[in-house]
Amino acid sequence: MKKICAAALLAAALTVLAGCGSEAEKSEVAEITRAQSRDSAQAQQTQQPEELPDFSTDELKPLYKAPADFVKIDMTLDDPTTGEMKFLYDGKGRVVCEAYTVENHSVRVDYAYDDNANKVKIVAFMENRLVDEKSIDLPAYDDTVGFAEKDGYYFKGYKFD
């Protein structure tokens, strides 16, 4: 069907280009050609990516590595983001998310701070499956302190003994 439409449009366009046909026909062919180009571009943009295999939590948990167990960072830097690991921060400068890839599986580690209790809840996802969850007691926050590691997780603004 597409080949027939394309051939008909090509014939109409050639007719117009050859000088045959009215101005209205030329305008109509030009509009149809523009619309097809637009539709083709939109179709390419909206094509669904290949579906990724669906992994179970049981398959992923043994592959999971906590951030500090996966890569050692330069803890003297304000932002040690590299090609291997990306850090996101909150308004205070604390780490709120880390993203990296372990054995071709995407990992996201989220930090939820409870300032009243001086705790952080850490939740790690691999391929959007929960693979680790823990709560860590925190010392007082100090924005002059750089990075530190505790229980395999990176923190900024906390000094652990």
Side-chain angles (χ1 to χ4, degrees):
M1 183 67 178
K2 288 182 181 180
K3 289 180 182 180
I4 294 171
C5 289
L9 281 175
L10 181 60
L14 289 174
T15 303
V16 169
L17 291 174
C20 303
S22 68
E23 285 299 313
E25 289 172 332
K26 290 178 186 178
S27 178
E28 185 178 338
V29 169
E31 182 57 36
I32 290 171
T33 303
R34 279 193 296 274
Q36 274 195 326
S37 294
R38 211 174 27 246
D39 291 346
S40 175
Q42 286 174 346
Q44 288 175 352
Q45 289 175 351
T46 59
Q47 285 179 344
Q48 296 297 322
E50 267 186 51
E51 286 209 23
L52 297 174
D54 194 21
F55 295 98
S56 74
T57 301
D58 291 337
E59 291 175 291
L60 296 172
K61 272 190 177 186
L63 301 175
Y64 174 69
K65 293 180 184 168
D69 297 334
F70 173 67
V71 67
K72 299 301 177 198
I73 62 168
D74 183 349
M75 293 200 276
T76 63
L77 298 174
D78 267 352
D79 182 6
T81 292
T82 65
E84 290 181 289
M85 185 172 294
K86 180 179 177 149
F87 290 87
L88 296 176
Y89 308 92
D90 66 8
K92 290 183 174 182
R94 302 177 298 190
V95 173
V96 291
C97 183
E98 294 162 329
Y100 52 100
T101 302
V102 175
E103 296 186 29
N104 295 320
H105 298 287
S106 61
V107 177
R108 188 185 82 236
V109 179
D110 294 325
Y111 294 63
Y113 295 92
D114 182 347
D115 293 329
N116 295 329
N118 288 332
K119 288 185 179 269
V120 63
K121 181 173 183 177
I122 298 173
V123 183
F125 299 92
M126 190 175 221
E127 299 292 347
N128 294 323
R129 299 279 189 245
L130 180 67
V131 291
D132 195 21
E133 185 175 15
K134 63 175 49 185
S135 182
I136 296 176
D137 291 327
L138 297 172
Y141 174 74
D142 181 351
D143 64 357
T144 64
V145 174
F147 274 83
E149 182 265 326
K150 173 79 171 166
D151 295 342
Y153 293 90
Y154 289 119
F155 295 88
K156 185 176 180 188
Y158 295 97
K159 187 173 182 178
F160 297 95
D161 295 325

